[in-house]
Amino acid sequence: TLPRMGAPGVIAVTGLHSFVARELVPRLLARSSGLRVVGIDQRRPIRFDPRVRFHKVDLTSPTADGRLAEVFSGERVEAVVHTAFRADPTADLELDHELETIGSLHLVHACAAAKVRRLVVASSTELYGPRPDNPNFLTESHPLRGHPKAHSVRDRIEMEGLVSEWAARHPDIEVTVLRACWTFGPSIWNRVVRYFSLPVVPVPLGYDPLLQLIHENDLVRAFERATLQPRPGVFNVVGTGVVPLSTLLRLAGKRPISLPGPLLHRLAYFPSQGQTGDPPEAFYDYLRYLWVADGARGWEAFGAPHYSTKEAWISFVSSRRMRRYR
């Protein structure tokens, strides 16, 4: 096995339209004038830093592995940050699987072919799955049981399995997998944030789970450190503390409307299927059962988060309120 690599000189980032990539790339460029960033995506972002070398690659293409290997070799890429995943699941289940699972397989093959030294992969604590029999805190070694009706979670579990098997066959490549919980803050926007932005929030009757959040800045900081320092392994990336769903809504001054499961699922069925390709329980079960992750390993590797779960939530709520006055 080769000795551990220090800070890489050339970093490739996939999925430039993802929240993590949008925030991470400027931070990497600000670190050092000698550091080069290579951007990989299907299309060039509108506001694009000219210092980033952009390469158009479709990860779902059958020849994507060869094309990526060519780019990585030509640019002399030392580290790859893989964030080319859907912010939200779509109704095109086949394309989602092609991008998230098969696309990731193309990427790891390209890393091996181009002798990339470090790979950082974005994942999620949603993969543990919301279950009534979950322990209070899920460690990184807990099985990924996911949710049987959430296709994007299934795809990510398959992706993590493929990456893990591949990493075992390539011990010379440092592989870091970051499993992040739900992320909140002033600028992130996805299905979960949209749901919690509703003035009246529908919730499952009879449930009040403890939730765990991470502030967007803490998330990006963990990715930055994982990219620049040797930290191989799987890490939960979560804020400190947990807060009951009812308390979060009360802090935000939001009115929850508690609905029995059958009614909630019936009302949400067609919008959920149309937008995500999944039935409503693929989301609402995460507001029923426990899926809180143990953050100790992640905090030790990347530093304690600056924001607790409660502070991440307050940051999100206050930023939304300020927008009303602009």
Side-chain angles (χ1 to χ4, degrees), residues 59-217:
L59 291 181
T60 65
S61 160
T63 58
D65 51 353
R67 173 81 182 106
L68 282 170
E70 202 177 273
V71 171
F72 294 162
S73 296
E75 295 282 6
R76 298 198 172 128
V77 169
E78 295 167 88
V80 173
V81 184
H82 182 34
T83 73
F85 299 100
R86 300 277 194 223
D88 302 313
T90 76
D92 193 335
L93 274 61
E94 199 175 315
L95 187 60
D96 283 5
H97 182 264
E98 285 290 314
L99 171 66
E100 306 214 325
T101 308
I102 309 304
S104 299
L105 197 56
H106 287 318
L107 179 98
V108 295
H109 288 331
C111 287
K115 295 183 169 51
V116 167
R117 296 287 310 279
R118 182 175 297 155
L119 171 63
V120 180
V121 180
S123 191
S124 168
T125 59
E126 285 187 358
L127 274 54
Y128 294 117
R131 303 287 175 113
D133 63 342
N134 272 341
N136 285 344
F137 289 96
L138 297 150
T139 65
E140 288 84 351
S141 59
H142 196 272
L144 301 179
R145 299 194 288 173
H147 192 292
K149 295 184 176 176
H151 76 271
S152 64
V153 172
R154 281 199 313 271
D155 290 346
R156 292 279 193 103
I157 290 172
E158 190 183 346
M159 176 277 293
E160 270 213 37
L162 292 169
V163 169
S164 176
E165 288 168 17
W166 174 85
R169 294 195 306 273
H170 296 86
D172 290 346
I173 301 174
E174 296 166 9
V175 180
T176 305
V177 177
L178 300 183
R179 292 179 185 154
C181 64
W182 281 348
T183 307
F184 280 78
S187 52
I188 191 164
W189 189 248
N190 55 34
R191 177 180 58 138
V192 175
V193 177
R194 272 198 304 278
Y195 167 80
F196 282 108
S197 298
L198 295 169
V200 178
V201 181
V203 296
L205 179 67
Y207 296 89
D208 190 18
L210 295 171
L211 290 180
Q212 176 182 51
L213 312 174
I214 186 165
H215 191 276
E216 56 188 47
N217 289 352

Side-chain angles (χ1 to χ4, degrees), residues 11 37 56 82 112 148 222 227 234 252 264 277 324:
I11 299 164
V37 177
K56 181 180 175 179
H82 182 34
T227 306
V234 179
L264 182 61
R324 293 181 206 160

Side-chain angles (χ1 to χ4, degrees), residues 30-51:
R31 298 276 312 194
S32 150
S33 56
L35 192 148
R36 282 200 301 117
V37 177
V38 176
I40 310 283
D41 209 317
Q42 272 189 286
R43 63 185 198 283
R44 184 189 293 266
I46 294 167
R47 286 188 291 278
F48 188 68
D49 193 308
R51 290 173 294 174

